[in-house]
Amino acid sequence: MMDEELILLNPGPACTSKRVKDALLRGDLCHREPEFTELLFRIREALPRSLNLGGTHEALLVTGSGTAAMEMAVISSVRPDRGVIIVNNGVYGDRMIRIAKAHGIPFHEVRSEWTVPADPGAVEAALAEYPHVDAVVCVHHETTTGLINPVKEIGEVVAAHGALFVIDAISGTAIEDQDLSEVKADVVCGTANKGLHGQPGMSFILCSERSIERIQEVPERSLYLNAASYLKGQRKGDVPFTPAVQVCYALDEAIKEYEEAGGFAARTKLYRERAALVRGQFERLGLRILVDEQFRSNTVTMLHLPESVTYESLHDELKKRGYVIYAGQGQLSRDFFRICTMGEIPWHRLEQLEDALRESIEAARG
Ligand SMILES: Cc1ncc(COP(=O)(O)O)c(C=O)c1O
């Protein structure tokens, strides 16, 4: 094959820079030592700042994938006698429902088609019907299809009601154009290894003052994912359980790299430019995109499989040429595939994708 690195075009874990990979080798460190406290304080301060939520939101870091952050956010936002409204138009909305069910939290679903953005009016109606809910949960970028939900407008509706607004921005943070400081979100879930270009293994929630109050009111539903114990520990520079220390080193370096390169404005511009580049290629190759243009994210593109081409054969041909693509999920797994331009990807490798795709489609057709 090629002598260059394999390019991950799956929606995380994303390719990382040499600098971030090298950070994993900073050395062994006990998390009860002052050096870890310093690292933790630095990341806790940097995360909200890097996502334009400095001064309004406080970061709680958890060792675990993005789902750990989602689960922690939901179970720490709803009091025992209350419920939650879950906006669902994809696999990750569904996952929120599974989280509520697993913990016996009453929920009401606001459902729409997987290719249709959530409707703020429907959320408003659900809040009128179920006024006693404590929180509304919505996925910002539904990675299932590459669809953006209107979190700013939904946030307005939720704020008028008074419930907490929890967003799963796991595949949106540092990627999507929506400035989070303009969204009335009380809890923002994120992870190290998507738009921030860190390594997988650490995730986080960013909490408003209101949500910090709530976290301290809600009784423990899980030993590991109880936000109150993270809050108590992390304010003192401590963590309740053994953290992925080396992944924290990498996240620290990834945030520095992000800020040195121009932060939110520069990263989102890069993602917009990449999306324009590869979507131009898709058009020239006759590959059709599932989601309407105005609702598309800056990274994930859900494409119809070309005629007589299976996902497996296309995947294998592209991998021979240096690219890893991603299957559709759930009901979309048979007829669609995804290409995601997240992470550290040299521009020339994205330019070369067009030829690789053309050759792979021909080879996959046999
Ligand atoms: C929108 C969204 N939420 C949650 C997750 C879950 O993350 P993980 O697989 O890291 O647990 C993902 C992962 O791709 C995601 O895209």
Side-chain angles (χ1 to χ4, degrees), residues 11-13 64-70 91-93 95-96 139-144 168-172 189 191 193-194 200-203 300 326 329 338 342:
S65 75
T67 306
M70 292 165 74
V91 165
Y92 296 100
R95 189 168 297 180
M96 289 293 192
V139 178
H140 180 199
H141 168 207
E142 245 310 345
T143 323
T144 318
D168 167 357
I170 285 167
S171 68
C189 307
T191 183
N193 65 286
K194 295 199 197 273
M202 292 300 300
S203 58
V300 171
Y326 213 49
Q329 281 163 299
R338 285 177 289 178
M342 201 180 267

Side-chain angles (χ1 to χ4, degrees), residues 302-341:
M302 173 67 98
L303 296 148
H304 292 258
L305 276 165
E307 227 180 279
S308 316
V309 172
T310 62
Y311 170 74
E312 290 73 18
S313 57
L314 183 60
H315 169 274
D316 294 355
E317 289 298 334
L318 270 165
K319 195 166 178 185
K320 284 187 214 161
R321 292 166 177 81
Y323 300 91
V324 172
I325 56 167
Y326 213 49
Q329 281 163 299
Q331 69 212 44
L332 300 176
S333 59
R334 215 173 54 91
D335 301 322
F336 296 87
F337 69 105
R338 285 177 289 178
I339 287 189
C340 173
T341 45

Side-chain angles (χ1 to χ4, degrees), residues 210-225:
R210 266 164 29 101
S211 89
I212 291 284
E213 280 169 27
R214 174 68 53 75
I215 282 168
Q216 296 174 91
E217 262 179 83
V218 175
E220 185 172 89
R221 283 192 166 100
S222 152
L223 179 67
Y224 193 76
L225 296 174

Side-chain angles (χ1 to χ4, degrees), residues 12 34 47 49 68 71 119 122 127 134 145 165 188 190 229 231 250 262 276 284 299 307 323 326 328 354 358 366:
L47 279 173
R49 180 182 71 228
E71 192 156 353
D119 172 13
L127 281 165
D134 260 353
T145 50
F165 188 36
V188 175
S229 45
L231 178 69
R284 285 191 291 280
T299 51
E307 227 180 279
Y323 300 91
Y326 213 49
E354 184 166 356
R358 184 181 299 103

Side-chain angles (χ1 to χ4, degrees), residues 43 46-47 50 196 250-260:
I43 297 174
L47 279 173
S50 66
L196 287 171
L251 176 58
D252 182 38
E253 210 58 47
I255 298 171
K256 282 184 199 154
E257 204 171 53
Y258 164 85
E259 292 193 323
E260 284 165 17

Side-chain angles (χ1 to χ4, degrees), residues 240-366:
F241 309 104
T242 309
V245 175
Q246 282 69 20
V247 180
C248 291
Y249 285 150
L251 176 58
D252 182 38
E253 210 58 47
I255 298 171
K256 282 184 199 154
E257 204 171 53
Y258 164 85
E259 292 193 323
E260 284 165 17
F264 178 79
R267 181 70 49 94
T268 50
K269 178 170 176 281
L270 173 69
Y271 277 122
R272 273 196 304 281
E273 288 169 355
R274 285 180 179 178
L277 174 73
V278 297
R279 287 173 189 162
Q281 299 175 349
F282 303 152
E283 197 177 336
R284 285 191 291 280
L285 293 168
L287 291 169
R288 287 179 301 126
I289 301 176
L290 177 70
V291 169
D292 280 356
E293 195 171 348
Q294 76 263 34
F295 307 136
R296 286 177 201 158
S297 79
N298 282 340
T299 51
V300 171
T301 311
M302 173 67 98
L303 296 148
H304 292 258
L305 276 165
E307 227 180 279
S308 316
V309 172
T310 62
Y311 170 74
E312 290 73 18
S313 57
L314 183 60
H315 169 274
D316 294 355
E317 289 298 334
L318 270 165
K319 195 166 178 185
K320 284 187 214 161
R321 292 166 177 81
Y323 300 91
V324 172
I325 56 167
Y326 213 49
Q329 281 163 299
Q331 69 212 44
L332 300 176
S333 59
R334 215 173 54 91
D335 301 322
F336 296 87
F337 69 105
R338 285 177 289 178
I339 287 189
C340 173
T341 45
M342 201 180 267
E344 287 292 317
I345 309 177
W347 188 258
H348 73 277
R349 298 295 303 277
L350 286 180
E351 286 177 330
Q352 291 164 355
L353 178 63
E354 184 166 356
D355 285 340
L357 264 170
R358 184 181 299 103
E359 290 166 18
S360 299
I361 292 168
E362 279 166 20
R365 276 204 184 108

